[in-house]
Amino acid sequence: MEKSMQARALNKYSCWVCLVPPWGFSDLKEEELYTTYTQRQRQRAVPRLLAAGVLLQAFAALVPGERDLAFAYTSVTLALLLNLALALVYITIRPARLALNHVAWLALWIQLLVSASRRLGDSYNELLGWAVVLQYFTLAALPFHYLLLILYSTISFTAYLLVQYYSAMITENQLPDDFSLQQISNGLLLLGATLLGGTAYGVGEWQQRCSFKVTKRSLRDKLTIEQQSKEQERLLLSVLPEHVAVQMRKDLGLIDTQFKKIYMSRHENVSILYADIVGFTAISSTYSAQDLVAILNELFARFDRLAEKYQQLRIKILGDCYYCISGAPVEKPDHAVLCVHMGLSMVKAIKYVQQTTNSPVDMRVGIHTGAVLAGVLGQRQWQFDVYSRDVELANKMESSGMAGRVHISEATLSFLNDEFEVEPAHGERREEMLRLAGIKTYFIVRVLKPFGGEDKSAPEGEAVEGGDSADTMSDLKDDDEDSVLSPQEESKGNEELKILAMLQEELVTRDDDKELADATTLCLTFKAAEVEAAYARRTDPCPMAVAAPPVLLLPVVVALASFAVPPSWPLRAVYLAFVLETGLMNVLYYAYFRFAQYKKKSVSPYWKLICGTFNIAMFVAANIAPLIICGNYEAAIGDDSPRPDSVVQGGARRCIHPSYYYHIGAGALCGALWVSPLSGGARALFLVALAAAHAAPAALQPALLHRRASLDRDPYTSSFNASADYNETAYDILAQIHLGRHILMLFFIVIALLILNRYTESLERARHSRGERMRGQAEQAADLRRRNQALVHNVLPPHVARHFMGARHHHRDLYSQSYAEVGVLFASMPNFSEFYSEETVNNQGLECLRFLNEVISDFDLLLEDAKFSKDIIKIKTISSTYMAASGLNPTRQMQPSDGTLVRWAHLACLVEFALELQRVLAAINEQSFNHFVLRLGVNHGPITAGVIGARKPHYDIWGNTVNVASRMESTGKAGCIQVTEETCHILETFGYYFEQRGLVAVKGKGQLMTYYLQGRRDVSAGQTDNTHRPHGAEIVAGGDILANGAAQRVADPEANVPLLSQ
């Protein structure tokens, strides 16, 4: 069955290949969609064709041109009814439209040919002007395949010539001497109309295909941008809550005010969980830096999966410490229950890792419930964080807990609804802050009401082997599809199918008529003045097409000059002037166009308007010149009263076939549709003016329309209409109208062409509107991408964000980069903890954080300075501690021969940044009447930078260098910058001088000699590397890799009191 379906599809496309034009798309599905689109567009021309048929019958009713009036008006009535019936079928029966296209074309040509076969006039060219218009209309607008257009135009071309031959045979005893010349002229004019219509078809086809390709490219770009924006959005929302990210995106690009905006809100009844990896320091000595990052990433990725299951919001990772909250920013009545389940699952998870990696690690979990201020501080490297005294208490709950146990406060217990069995933990005996706060603590012993509706309970210690351990393991499995660092890329085939579906929606399904009607006035001008102005200035894809009408219609004018008008020098001069002036104008226009292309400038559309108007005006002038000559001749004949049947007067030939010039005028009116840009009203005036120009010779010389006895075959004379019901009065009226039939024809054709022009104008405006809509959507998507990108680059450094955007990564494919020479800075405000209070006057602490936001934001603004932006990046803030690093530029290339002044220039820049931080804080103190001071520590050496966490990526740096820099800050003196001895020697090369402080105990390093920076002196340009000692004691990445002050938090009693949160 499947094979037969594939065979049918193959046969379908095999047949389809035969119908694809040589200029078609190589992709058959694309070509099929394009054909459907163009069929839908050109289908709208059929009612316009029927309207032209109604106008033809109205003209036939006014000018029957018939020997038999009864037959004439009967045929007009039947034709009108047929046209109206076809229009009604078109409107009401949509499935019949495909067949109706062919029926309508055939019906109109039959009507024209039947009427033409029975008409009489001065030449065998009756209704030739209408034939020109229908031929042009067929090729330029009707929804036929190009092969059918060639066939139909050939049929109509041949049929008209045969009808004229038939008419001559039945009305004349023998064919006129110049009948062959008349047929040649008929054929040349129809050929000109065919070529003009074919050119219009080619130009329209090219424009449609260009529009199709531009739309496809725009949709592809839009899809790409949306995919990139989606990746950025996923990454952004993995770090920031949606309400914060949305507000930040809105505020991007707004004018800065005096105070930096703070994205902070207060939440009550929030459970805060701190979890610390016990034994991490021990295993860190047995793993390399990269392996350590991999272990942390693996573990924290699993924690992130658990956080999603238990509806937790991970706040931050501090070294080996993981903390999250429940109940904010979305309130949850069971926040404490979810938090305890999260803690229990973390204990299970670490035991699973311990078993699978044979590592002696465990989890110590502390939970406290209270109020928090949640939000983002600063302008760079945003991290959603929580601040409050309750956050500090939660931290103490963890540090005073026990490995493998979940330690909860009395406040948390009050929200558990007896869903857990607990036992006293007496944490207040181990932690002074808990004792002072009067908090009693408990350990979770047993789950009485398992999560997810399970009905079995298990002791905490047995849970790993218990019933829900498999559930826990399933929560911990790898799933890179859920990683925000794993963009969901689609295969190229799927992407193409999606683009084709979008194209179908945009081009075929979308109702362009309704949208255009809503956006334009009755005259098809856009209601918005700026949109109309943009449409008038649009780029013309075919600027040289303006020369087509005079060139394609010139052969018939030349042919007529040989027999239809008297040979005279004035006429030849007019033709010569027409050819030379038109040719010169088009050559100048082409030269200007090529010059503009060479200069890569756009050509004003008004140049095309001038050139097109000039071409048509010159052509019409050359066309009506013979009519003026003929009018003067006929007037002269009337004055001299020669024999009425004379064709020669005074040695000059008489104008035998002046009617041809009116039919050429119909071709000129078709060519006038090519003049652009013109509004609907302006084009109507232009067409009416051209028709009036052809009427002018007859108005000046009425003799041009007089009946010539032996030259004109008048259907209303008795010789042709000798019948019993002859009504002399009626025939006299019809005879007078019949004399001006060609001028009337031109004005009827003007109306028909205005109907056609409205159709083509609507297509062009719909294409323009779609293009503008595509550009607008692309700009909106690009703007969203820019805003997301700006936000993402404030979450991850730009080079790290670029690593993850646009490529598929498993969360095991870590971003990890080792750097040998990096500077690390910690800067804290130790007296901010005293400043912070949660009293009502401070809006429960919000105003204190608002001040801290101003400080951190001003620090961040320094990084926009050109002297700092290249070498220094902000890593993060930990409450009131600011962390930055230098030398993390991955494009920075150092040579072994480079000296200290080159290799460590970024370290000197980092010290300058630290000094600038002090100056900024001093200025803030002066303005706010505060007395905050910075305590700073700087160190240098190797580090490992990386991103951990697949669901909530977190960029950080690790290494002994980071730990020592943290200790330099925590053991330093307020207002001073403390450095190690090795860092001191390097900075002395740059002119800095120091005061020796003495030995300081650093965990894992023993006693280190440290120095306080005193200032900087001028350094002579000739100073070299020999002026300082080689740093043989340089720190190497090794076993003591903890992270970001985690050593400070564990080992330093002073640092063990968090300022607000860790």
mmCIF file of all heavy atoms in Angstrom, residues 257-286:
data_model
loop_
_atom_site.group_PDB
_atom_site.id
_atom_site.type_symbol
_atom_site.label_atom_id
_atom_site.label_comp_id
_atom_site.label_asym_id
_atom_site.label_seq_id
_atom_site.Cartn_x
_atom_site.Cartn_y
_atom_site.Cartn_z
ATOM 1 N N THR A 257 17.287 57.284 34.247
ATOM 2 C CA THR A 257 16.852 58.301 35.194
ATOM 3 C C THR A 257 17.933 58.479 36.250
ATOM 4 O O THR A 257 18.982 57.852 36.196
ATOM 5 C CB THR A 257 15.532 57.875 35.854
ATOM 6 O OG1 THR A 257 15.723 56.581 36.480
ATOM 7 C CG2 THR A 257 14.432 57.729 34.806
ATOM 8 N N GLN A 258 17.659 59.335 37.202
ATOM 9 C CA GLN A 258 18.669 59.599 38.226
ATOM 10 C C GLN A 258 18.970 58.340 39.031
ATOM 11 O O GLN A 258 20.104 58.091 39.407
ATOM 12 C CB GLN A 258 18.181 60.720 39.152
ATOM 13 C CG GLN A 258 19.185 61.075 40.250
ATOM 14 C CD GLN A 258 18.661 62.168 41.153
ATOM 15 O OE1 GLN A 258 17.559 62.663 40.948
ATOM 16 N NE2 GLN A 258 19.446 62.560 42.144
ATOM 17 N N PHE A 259 17.939 57.539 39.280
ATOM 18 C CA PHE A 259 18.122 56.316 40.044
ATOM 19 C C PHE A 259 17.913 55.103 39.154
ATOM 20 O O PHE A 259 17.029 55.090 38.308
ATOM 21 C CB PHE A 259 17.143 56.274 41.232
ATOM 22 C CG PHE A 259 17.316 57.409 42.192
ATOM 23 C CD1 PHE A 259 16.439 58.477 42.180
ATOM 24 C CD2 PHE A 259 18.378 57.412 43.082
ATOM 25 C CE1 PHE A 259 16.601 59.532 43.062
ATOM 26 C CE2 PHE A 259 18.539 58.467 43.969
ATOM 27 C CZ PHE A 259 17.655 59.533 43.961
ATOM 28 N N LYS A 260 18.745 54.091 39.356
ATOM 29 C CA LYS A 260 18.643 52.864 38.567
ATOM 30 C C LYS A 260 17.415 52.083 39.025
ATOM 31 O O LYS A 260 17.123 52.005 40.215
ATOM 32 C CB LYS A 260 19.898 52.001 38.748
ATOM 33 C CG LYS A 260 21.201 52.745 38.511
ATOM 34 C CD LYS A 260 21.292 53.258 37.100
ATOM 35 C CE LYS A 260 22.632 53.909 36.825
ATOM 36 N NZ LYS A 260 22.924 55.064 37.677
ATOM 37 N N LYS A 261 16.728 51.493 38.046
ATOM 38 C CA LYS A 261 15.524 50.741 38.383
ATOM 39 C C LYS A 261 15.913 49.452 39.084
ATOM 40 O O LYS A 261 16.865 48.780 38.708
ATOM 41 C CB LYS A 261 14.726 50.433 37.123
ATOM 42 C CG LYS A 261 13.394 49.752 37.429
ATOM 43 C CD LYS A 261 12.449 49.812 36.266
ATOM 44 C CE LYS A 261 11.100 49.216 36.642
ATOM 45 N NZ LYS A 261 10.121 49.320 35.558
ATOM 46 N N ILE A 262 15.157 49.125 40.102
ATOM 47 C CA ILE A 262 15.414 47.886 40.836
ATOM 48 C C ILE A 262 14.266 46.920 40.573
ATOM 49 O O ILE A 262 13.089 47.296 40.597
ATOM 50 C CB ILE A 262 15.558 48.167 42.355
ATOM 51 C CG1 ILE A 262 15.930 46.875 43.092
ATOM 52 C CG2 ILE A 262 14.315 48.797 42.927
ATOM 53 C CD1 ILE A 262 16.312 47.097 44.541
ATOM 54 N N TYR A 263 14.617 45.701 40.256
ATOM 55 C CA TYR A 263 13.620 44.659 39.980
ATOM 56 C C TYR A 263 13.552 43.771 41.230
ATOM 57 O O TYR A 263 14.226 42.749 41.311
ATOM 58 C CB TYR A 263 14.014 43.864 38.747
ATOM 59 C CG TYR A 263 14.171 44.723 37.518
ATOM 60 C CD1 TYR A 263 15.410 45.234 37.163
ATOM 61 C CD2 TYR A 263 13.074 45.031 36.729
ATOM 62 C CE1 TYR A 263 15.549 46.043 36.042
ATOM 63 C CE2 TYR A 263 13.202 45.827 35.604
ATOM 64 C CZ TYR A 263 14.444 46.331 35.262
ATOM 65 O OH TYR A 263 14.589 47.128 34.162
ATOM 66 N N MET A 264 12.771 44.206 42.180
ATOM 67 C CA MET A 264 12.736 43.541 43.476
ATOM 68 C C MET A 264 11.310 43.565 43.995
ATOM 69 O O MET A 264 10.600 44.552 43.848
ATOM 70 C CB MET A 264 13.679 44.262 44.456
ATOM 71 C CG MET A 264 13.972 43.507 45.729
ATOM 72 S SD MET A 264 15.064 42.093 45.464
ATOM 73 C CE MET A 264 16.534 42.909 44.842
ATOM 74 N N SER A 265 10.885 42.456 44.613
ATOM 75 C CA SER A 265 9.548 42.396 45.201
ATOM 76 C C SER A 265 9.604 41.550 46.461
ATOM 77 O O SER A 265 10.446 40.656 46.593
ATOM 78 C CB SER A 265 8.539 41.809 44.204
ATOM 79 O OG SER A 265 8.965 40.529 43.756
ATOM 80 N N ARG A 266 8.704 41.846 47.362
ATOM 81 C CA ARG A 266 8.680 41.139 48.637
ATOM 82 C C ARG A 266 7.649 40.025 48.594
ATOM 83 O O ARG A 266 6.563 40.176 48.041
ATOM 84 C CB ARG A 266 8.356 42.113 49.785
ATOM 85 C CG ARG A 266 8.403 41.466 51.163
ATOM 86 C CD ARG A 266 8.200 42.477 52.272
ATOM 87 N NE ARG A 266 8.209 41.861 53.576
ATOM 88 C CZ ARG A 266 9.290 41.561 54.282
ATOM 89 N NH1 ARG A 266 10.482 41.850 53.771
ATOM 90 N NH2 ARG A 266 9.216 40.993 55.467
ATOM 91 N N HIS A 267 8.018 38.871 49.161
ATOM 92 C CA HIS A 267 7.124 37.713 49.188
ATOM 93 C C HIS A 267 7.090 37.151 50.611
ATOM 94 O O HIS A 267 8.141 36.950 51.229
ATOM 95 C CB HIS A 267 7.609 36.636 48.216
ATOM 96 C CG HIS A 267 7.722 37.111 46.798
ATOM 97 N ND1 HIS A 267 6.671 37.075 45.915
ATOM 98 C CD2 HIS A 267 8.771 37.654 46.131
ATOM 99 C CE1 HIS A 267 7.066 37.566 44.758
ATOM 100 N NE2 HIS A 267 8.338 37.921 44.855
ATOM 101 N N GLU A 268 5.896 36.882 51.099
ATOM 102 C CA GLU A 268 5.717 36.276 52.421
ATOM 103 C C GLU A 268 5.530 34.769 52.254
ATOM 104 O O GLU A 268 5.188 34.277 51.187
ATOM 105 C CB GLU A 268 4.491 36.881 53.118
ATOM 106 C CG GLU A 268 4.526 38.395 53.254
ATOM 107 C CD GLU A 268 5.547 38.867 54.285
ATOM 108 O OE1 GLU A 268 5.964 38.037 55.119
ATOM 109 O OE2 GLU A 268 5.926 40.057 54.242
ATOM 110 N N ASN A 269 5.735 34.058 53.350
ATOM 111 C CA ASN A 269 5.518 32.603 53.385
ATOM 112 C C ASN A 269 6.261 31.887 52.265
ATOM 113 O O ASN A 269 5.664 31.238 51.392
ATOM 114 C CB ASN A 269 4.021 32.276 53.310
ATOM 115 C CG ASN A 269 3.248 32.830 54.496
ATOM 116 O OD1 ASN A 269 3.789 32.908 55.606
ATOM 117 N ND2 ASN A 269 2.013 33.215 54.264
ATOM 118 N N VAL A 270 7.563 32.045 52.283
ATOM 119 C CA VAL A 270 8.441 31.403 51.310
ATOM 120 C C VAL A 270 9.358 30.452 52.061
ATOM 121 O O VAL A 270 9.936 30.816 53.093
ATOM 122 C CB VAL A 270 9.268 32.444 50.536
ATOM 123 C CG1 VAL A 270 10.232 31.757 49.575
ATOM 124 C CG2 VAL A 270 8.357 33.398 49.786
ATOM 125 N N SER A 271 9.506 29.240 51.550
ATOM 126 C CA SER A 271 10.432 28.276 52.150
ATOM 127 C C SER A 271 11.754 28.339 51.403
ATOM 128 O O SER A 271 11.785 28.275 50.166
ATOM 129 C CB SER A 271 9.848 26.857 52.099
ATOM 130 O OG SER A 271 8.717 26.756 52.942
ATOM 131 N N ILE A 272 12.840 28.461 52.157
ATOM 132 C CA ILE A 272 14.177 28.613 51.587
ATOM 133 C C ILE A 272 14.991 27.378 51.918
ATOM 134 O O ILE A 272 15.075 26.987 53.100
ATOM 135 C CB ILE A 272 14.884 29.864 52.131
ATOM 136 C CG1 ILE A 272 13.986 31.103 51.986
ATOM 137 C CG2 ILE A 272 16.224 30.078 51.444
ATOM 138 C CD1 ILE A 272 13.613 31.754 53.271
ATOM 139 N N LEU A 273 15.577 26.745 50.920
ATOM 140 C CA LEU A 273 16.362 25.524 51.099
ATOM 141 C C LEU A 273 17.821 25.789 50.754
ATOM 142 O O LEU A 273 18.120 26.295 49.667
ATOM 143 C CB LEU A 273 15.808 24.398 50.230
ATOM 144 C CG LEU A 273 16.514 23.028 50.290
ATOM 145 C CD1 LEU A 273 15.506 21.915 50.030
ATOM 146 C CD2 LEU A 273 17.662 22.922 49.279
ATOM 147 N N TYR A 274 18.712 25.472 51.679
ATOM 148 C CA TYR A 274 20.159 25.490 51.427
ATOM 149 C C TYR A 274 20.654 24.052 51.495
ATOM 150 O O TYR A 274 20.306 23.309 52.422
ATOM 151 C CB TYR A 274 20.892 26.325 52.479
ATOM 152 C CG TYR A 274 21.058 27.774 52.112
ATOM 153 C CD1 TYR A 274 20.016 28.679 52.328
ATOM 154 C CD2 TYR A 274 22.238 28.242 51.564
ATOM 155 C CE1 TYR A 274 20.144 30.001 52.002
ATOM 156 C CE2 TYR A 274 22.384 29.585 51.242
ATOM 157 C CZ TYR A 274 21.342 30.458 51.457
ATOM 158 O OH TYR A 274 21.480 31.773 51.128
ATOM 159 N N ALA A 275 21.476 23.670 50.534
ATOM 160 C CA ALA A 275 22.049 22.319 50.525
ATOM 161 C C ALA A 275 23.532 22.428 50.235
ATOM 162 O O ALA A 275 23.938 23.077 49.253
ATOM 163 C CB ALA A 275 21.358 21.453 49.485
ATOM 164 N N ASP A 276 24.336 21.785 51.072
ATOM 165 C CA ASP A 276 25.788 21.846 50.909
ATOM 166 C C ASP A 276 26.315 20.428 50.744
ATOM 167 O O ASP A 276 25.820 19.479 51.379
ATOM 168 C CB ASP A 276 26.429 22.501 52.132
ATOM 169 C CG ASP A 276 27.916 22.726 51.937
ATOM 170 O OD1 ASP A 276 28.271 23.416 50.958
ATOM 171 O OD2 ASP A 276 28.710 22.215 52.743
ATOM 172 N N ILE A 277 27.297 20.269 49.858
ATOM 173 C CA ILE A 277 27.894 18.960 49.627
ATOM 174 C C ILE A 277 28.952 18.728 50.707
ATOM 175 O O ILE A 277 29.969 19.427 50.751
ATOM 176 C CB ILE A 277 28.531 18.886 48.232
ATOM 177 C CG1 ILE A 277 27.494 19.208 47.157
ATOM 178 C CG2 ILE A 277 29.130 17.511 47.999
ATOM 179 C CD1 ILE A 277 28.063 19.260 45.764
ATOM 180 N N VAL A 278 28.692 17.763 51.560
ATOM 181 C CA VAL A 278 29.649 17.424 52.619
ATOM 182 C C VAL A 278 30.699 16.490 52.028
ATOM 183 O O VAL A 278 30.376 15.505 51.366
ATOM 184 C CB VAL A 278 28.928 16.739 53.800
ATOM 185 C CG1 VAL A 278 29.925 16.366 54.890
ATOM 186 C CG2 VAL A 278 27.836 17.635 54.345
ATOM 187 N N GLY A 279 31.969 16.797 52.255
ATOM 188 C CA GLY A 279 33.054 15.976 51.737
ATOM 189 C C GLY A 279 33.538 16.409 50.368
ATOM 190 O O GLY A 279 34.355 15.724 49.747
ATOM 191 N N PHE A 280 33.046 17.535 49.906
ATOM 192 C CA PHE A 280 33.465 17.988 48.589
ATOM 193 C C PHE A 280 34.943 18.369 48.574
ATOM 194 O O PHE A 280 35.651 18.123 47.598
ATOM 195 C CB PHE A 280 32.602 19.182 48.165
ATOM 196 C CG PHE A 280 32.909 19.679 46.779
ATOM 197 C CD1 PHE A 280 32.425 19.009 45.670
ATOM 198 C CD2 PHE A 280 33.694 20.799 46.584
ATOM 199 C CE1 PHE A 280 32.699 19.453 44.399
ATOM 200 C CE2 PHE A 280 33.977 21.246 45.316
ATOM 201 C CZ PHE A 280 33.475 20.575 44.207
ATOM 202 N N THR A 281 35.424 18.966 49.656
ATOM 203 C CA THR A 281 36.837 19.364 49.704
ATOM 204 C C THR A 281 37.733 18.146 49.570
ATOM 205 O O THR A 281 38.776 18.184 48.916
ATOM 206 C CB THR A 281 37.128 20.094 51.028
ATOM 207 O OG1 THR A 281 36.247 21.208 51.154
ATOM 208 C CG2 THR A 281 38.567 20.560 51.082
ATOM 209 N N ALA A 282 37.284 17.017 50.167
ATOM 210 C CA ALA A 282 38.112 15.805 50.110
ATOM 211 C C ALA A 282 38.230 15.278 48.692
ATOM 212 O O ALA A 282 39.314 14.911 48.231
ATOM 213 C CB ALA A 282 37.511 14.737 51.031
ATOM 214 N N ILE A 283 37.104 15.245 47.960
ATOM 215 C CA ILE A 283 37.180 14.696 46.598
ATOM 216 C C ILE A 283 37.818 15.686 45.635
ATOM 217 O O ILE A 283 38.327 15.294 44.585
ATOM 218 C CB ILE A 283 35.790 14.275 46.077
ATOM 219 C CG1 ILE A 283 34.883 15.491 45.877
ATOM 220 C CG2 ILE A 283 35.139 13.280 46.983
ATOM 221 C CD1 ILE A 283 33.622 15.174 45.099
ATOM 222 N N SER A 284 37.811 16.983 45.974
ATOM 223 C CA SER A 284 38.397 17.962 45.071
ATOM 224 C C SER A 284 39.897 17.772 44.926
ATOM 225 O O SER A 284 40.491 18.160 43.924
ATOM 226 C CB SER A 284 38.096 19.389 45.546
ATOM 227 O OG SER A 284 38.752 19.633 46.780
ATOM 228 N N SER A 285 40.508 17.128 45.921
ATOM 229 C CA SER A 285 41.966 16.924 45.849
ATOM 230 C C SER A 285 42.328 15.770 44.922
ATOM 231 O O SER A 285 43.484 15.610 44.570
ATOM 232 C CB SER A 285 42.516 16.659 47.250
ATOM 233 O OG SER A 285 41.917 15.493 47.797
ATOM 234 N N THR A 286 41.337 14.986 44.524
ATOM 235 C CA THR A 286 41.635 13.814 43.687
ATOM 236 C C THR A 286 41.190 13.997 42.238
ATOM 237 O O THR A 286 41.346 13.097 41.434
ATOM 238 C CB THR A 286 40.945 12.565 44.263
ATOM 239 O OG1 THR A 286 39.529 12.786 44.269
ATOM 240 C CG2 THR A 286 41.423 12.281 45.676
#
